Amino acid sequence: MKIGFIGLGLMGNLMAKNIHKSGFDLTVYNRTSGKTDEFKKLGVKIASSPKELAQRTDVIITMITAAQDVKQILFGKNGVIYGKNKDLVVIDMGTIGPTAAREIAERLEENQIDFIDAPVTGSTPKAKTGELTIFVGGKKEVFEKVKPVLLAMGKNIHYMGGSGLGQAIKMINNQLIAATITALAEGMLLADVLNLNRKLAADVLSTVPALSPMMNLKLSDYVKNEFPLLFSMSNMTKDLKLANYEAKKTKKKLPLAEKNLQLFKKAMKKGLGPRDFSSIIRVID
Amino acid sequence: MKIGFIGLGLMGNLMAKNIHKSGFDLTVYNRTSGKTDEFKKLGVKIASSPKELAQRTDVIITMITAAQDVKQILFGKNGVIYGKNKDLVVIDMGTIGPTAAREIAERLEENQIDFIDAPVTGSTPKAKTGELTIFVGGKKEVFEKVKPVLLAMGKNIHYMGGSGLGQAIKMINNQLIAATITALAEGMLLADVLNLNRKLAADVLSTVPALSPMMNLKLSDYVKNEFPLLFSMSNMTKDLKLANYEAKKTKKKLPLAEKNLQLFKKAMKKGLGPRDFSSIIRVID
């Protein structure tokens, strides 16, 4: 299986390297060409356009932040659809939401290209070790075909069903992370208000059933009042927007997720976009 | 140490029995006298008023829902302060909030009575097995003195510092539980909206770092759409009110906890007060 990879950012860079390490025949493309240099040194082939990448490979993986950019890469000038060979499969591993994933799946299908949505969770530490959790939506037989390359990047691979359902569970997962971390931040502010030392509060909270592993991971951020970057405020804001958008599309409301999005937007306005999302505590007062 | 117990409700009943089983000399009082019958059968002594209970015991434990009722028992007609003997210690184990706990501590101190706030978590299953988690606020030496009786009811006992700090961490804990369960409910509604089967979503969510043990416990409620009573909506509403009240007192706001309280109030209006708080999903739409 010849693999093409597009989007060598923080995550994609590490994921592509694991594909290469696993012995797959890898070709990469990146809009910012500087990012391909280290791959050239590793002996990885470089394509000059998504179209060229499609001509040379069997599976194309995209790891790009915005849905609009994924569409440009696939359907724009010199896009993937213009270079497709027989049996091409496209796997999008970014978080673009179920609606965009379903739109892309449909449009690719019109071009006889199979599509899998396969967003990931675990951030850079798990991307580096090839232990990402991957949520998959799309045709089962297409998933089975590309599973070996997913296993080069991830450990826990969950097949969720048809197109967009990988994105669906990712939305839910990130909405939960965002809500629980904002709640933790409010809990720490409540400790301040009540003159309860944050360190002592954190020590006790780390032992109670109310705390998730993710909340436990972030406890020390609030004790030290330092927020090392693991997942950016801007990415989490994007994901919360997607979750609320999907609910609104069917005339549903998620009141807590909506209020949380307001807080995240406030953080963005305050310039916290590139910071870790746990710094949400800075806009609560 | 002679122990007096007031408030033989769902939780208090089980806690008092564990004190009796541990071999302490126990006397109970309850406003609803029918609740003392089974204790009489066990050979436990019955007092006819809080005053009489205070005259006969060294430590009085109150396990009563509302702060106002605790104050009535302590300071009202035939209240505890009128029957105090030398070295009496009062331990309140309900969830009444830091402000009420500090008021009570002060007023008891004026009457030369020591006070410990020691709210619990773990609900009836842990109350039954004597494995409650207990959060303690008050003077360290008073805590050390009454620790043996706390150990008859609980396993993890956390001394948090001065008066009200047991209540403080309990507020934070319950605010976290309320927020995380509402977020889980919204996650499940998002699954519905996205045509993702709740059972499949729950299976995957049970494996991710975003889920706390408490959320994991409640996952099956949302899959079955049944909400067996573990902790009532009305009690959780009370606790969320207390958390928001404490923040407002110092001109702080907890936006997510405030929005969540709105939802809980809506559930109360809908008559869900006696139901488990996980049925909060019924007012999200």
Side-chain angles (χ1 to χ4, degrees):
Chain A
M1 214 158 27
K2 291 182 181 175
I3 313 296
F5 202 103
I6 304 180
L8 301 168
L10 271 180
M11 293 287 288
N13 178 292
L14 301 165
M15 292 157 70
K17 277 178 191 155
N18 280 327
I19 293 172
H20 174 63
K21 272 187 217 159
S22 294
F24 286 99
D25 183 329
L26 179 66
T27 310
V28 299
Y29 167 78
N30 204 81
R31 289 165 297 173
T32 320
S33 63
K35 292 195 176 170
T36 56
D37 291 351
E38 55 174 334
F39 283 88
K40 200 178 269 177
K41 282 178 200 157
L42 292 169
V44 171
K45 283 162 279 184
I46 316 294
S48 63
S49 71
K51 176 185 170 182
E52 194 199 325
L53 192 71
Q55 285 165 338
R56 294 206 215 160
T57 57
D58 310 304
V59 175
I60 287 186
I61 296 171
T62 52
M63 187 61 188
I64 298 164
T65 306
Q68 205 40 57
D69 294 334
V70 180
K71 287 178 184 169
Q72 179 62 29
I73 287 283
L74 297 176
F75 310 115
K77 201 187 165 202
N78 285 319
V80 165
I81 55 166
Y82 301 107
K84 65 146 178 151
N85 57 51
K86 206 173 155 275
D87 298 330
L88 181 64
V89 178
V90 171
I91 310 175
D92 179 59
M93 301 188 76
T95 301
I96 59 171
T99 297
R102 284 167 185 162
E103 280 168 12
I104 288 171
E106 227 170 90
R107 208 158 152 196
L108 284 175
E109 199 171 8
E110 288 165 11
N111 287 275
Q112 289 84 47
I113 298 173
D114 279 316
F115 179 74
I116 291 283
D117 54 294
V120 302
T121 169
S123 299
T124 50
K126 299 291 182 187
K128 192 162 190 173
T129 57
E131 295 176 305
L132 288 166
T133 294
I134 306 178
F135 306 117
V136 180
K139 284 185 202 133
K140 188 78 185 269
E141 64 272 21
V142 181
F143 162 59
E144 294 295 348
K145 192 166 120 185
V146 300
K147 201 172 174 184
V149 64
L150 295 178
L151 282 167
M153 296 173 280
K155 208 170 122 187
N156 301 306
I157 302 182
H158 301 283
Y159 178 71
M160 306 304 297
S163 232
L165 291 183
Q167 290 289 340
I169 192 79
K170 177 72 199 281
M171 291 292 85
I172 295 168
N173 184 63
N174 279 21
Q175 171 261 322
L176 289 177
I177 292 176
T180 52
I181 296 306
T182 301
L184 185 62
E186 291 192 357
M188 284 297 177
L189 290 173
L190 196 47
D192 295 349
V193 158
L194 298 167
N195 291 313
L196 177 60
N197 177 279
R198 281 194 194 183
K199 173 77 171 70
L200 181 56
D203 286 347
V204 172
L205 290 176
S206 71
T207 69
V208 300
L211 269 272
S212 66
M214 181 58 73
M215 292 161 89
N216 252 307
L217 186 72
K218 295 293 186 189
L219 266 178
S220 63
D221 289 15
Y222 295 118
V223 174
K224 295 178 193 159
N225 222 14
E226 285 169 15
F227 309 95
L229 181 65
L230 209 62
F231 189 69
S232 72
M233 188 72 78
S234 55
N235 273 332
M236 192 57 103
T237 305
K238 179 197 69 171
D239 294 354
L240 272 177
K241 273 183 193 164
L242 287 170
N244 282 290
Y245 167 78
E246 293 292 343
K248 269 187 191 151
K249 251 185 79 178
T250 56
K251 314 262 182 253
K252 287 272 174 189
K253 270 188 94 172
L254 307 174
L256 217 57
E258 212 172 68
K259 173 56 77 173
N260 206 17
L261 176 56
Q262 285 174 20
L263 291 173
F264 274 78
K265 282 181 176 170
K266 196 172 161 191
M268 293 296 288
K269 269 191 194 153
K270 219 181 165 182
L272 297 174
R275 309 294 299 273
D276 190 78
F277 74 101
S278 61
S279 55
I280 190 71
I281 196 170
R282 302 207 168 153
V283 295
I284 301 170
D285 50 16
Chain B
M1 215 159 25
K2 290 183 182 175
I3 313 296
F5 202 104
I6 304 179
L8 302 168
L10 272 180
M11 293 287 288
N13 179 291
L14 301 165
M15 291 156 71
K17 276 178 192 156
N18 280 326
I19 292 172
H20 174 63
K21 269 186 219 159
S22 295
F24 286 99
D25 184 328
L26 179 66
T27 310
V28 299
Y29 166 78
N30 204 81
R31 289 165 299 174
T32 319
S33 63
K35 291 194 177 171
T36 57
D37 293 351
E38 54 173 335
F39 284 88
K40 201 178 266 175
K41 282 178 201 157
L42 292 170
V44 170
K45 283 162 279 184
I46 315 295
S48 63
S49 71
K51 176 184 170 182
E52 194 199 325
L53 192 72
Q55 285 165 337
R56 294 205 216 161
T57 57
D58 310 305
V59 174
I60 287 185
I61 296 170
T62 52
M63 187 62 187
I64 298 164
T65 306
Q68 205 40 55
D69 294 334
V70 180
K71 287 178 184 168
Q72 179 62 31
I73 288 282
L74 296 176
F75 310 114
K77 202 188 164 200
N78 286 319
V80 165
I81 55 165
Y82 301 108
K84 65 146 177 155
N85 57 50
K86 207 173 154 273
D87 298 330
L88 180 64
V89 178
V90 171
I91 310 174
D92 178 59
M93 301 188 76
T95 301
I96 60 171
T99 297
R102 284 166 184 162
E103 281 168 12
I104 288 171
E106 230 171 87
R107 208 159 151 195
L108 284 176
E109 201 172 4
E110 288 165 10
N111 288 276
Q112 290 83 46
I113 298 173
D114 280 316
F115 178 74
I116 291 283
D117 54 294
V120 303
T121 168
S123 298
T124 50
K126 299 291 182 187
K128 192 163 190 172
T129 58
E131 295 176 304
L132 288 166
T133 293
I134 307 178
F135 305 118
V136 180
K139 286 184 200 133
K140 187 80 185 269
E141 64 272 21
V142 180
F143 162 58
E144 294 295 348
K145 192 166 120 184
V146 300
K147 201 172 172 185
V149 65
L150 295 178
L151 282 167
M153 297 173 279
K155 208 170 121 186
N156 301 306
I157 302 183
H158 301 284
Y159 177 72
M160 306 305 296
S163 231
L165 291 183
Q167 290 290 339
I169 193 78
K170 177 72 199 282
M171 291 293 85
I172 295 167
N173 183 63
N174 279 21
Q175 170 261 322
L176 289 177
I177 292 176
T180 52
I181 296 306
T182 302
L184 184 63
E186 290 191 358
M188 284 296 177
L189 290 173
L190 196 49
D192 295 348
V193 158
L194 297 168
N195 291 313
L196 177 60
N197 178 279
R198 280 194 194 183
K199 173 76 172 68
L200 182 55
D203 286 347
V204 172
L205 289 177
S206 70
T207 70
V208 299
L211 267 273
S212 66
M214 182 58 74
M215 292 160 89
N216 252 307
L217 185 73
K218 295 292 185 190
L219 266 178
S220 63
D221 290 14
Y222 295 118
V223 174
K224 295 178 193 159
N225 223 12
E226 285 168 15
F227 309 95
L229 181 64
L230 209 61
F231 189 69
S232 72
M233 188 72 79
S234 55
N235 272 333
M236 192 57 104
T237 305
K238 179 196 68 170
D239 294 355
L240 272 177
K241 273 183 193 163
L242 287 171
N244 282 290
Y245 166 77
E246 294 292 342
K248 270 189 190 150
K249 252 185 78 177
T250 56
K251 313 260 182 253
K252 287 273 175 191
K253 272 188 91 171
L254 307 174
L256 217 58
E258 211 172 70
K259 173 56 76 175
N260 205 17
L261 177 56
Q262 286 175 19
L263 292 172
F264 274 77
K265 281 181 176 170
K266 196 173 160 191
M268 293 297 288
K269 270 191 194 153
K270 219 182 165 179
L272 297 175
R275 310 294 297 272
D276 190 78
F277 75 101
S278 61
S279 55
I280 190 71
I281 196 169
R282 301 206 169 155
V283 296
I284 301 170
D285 52 16

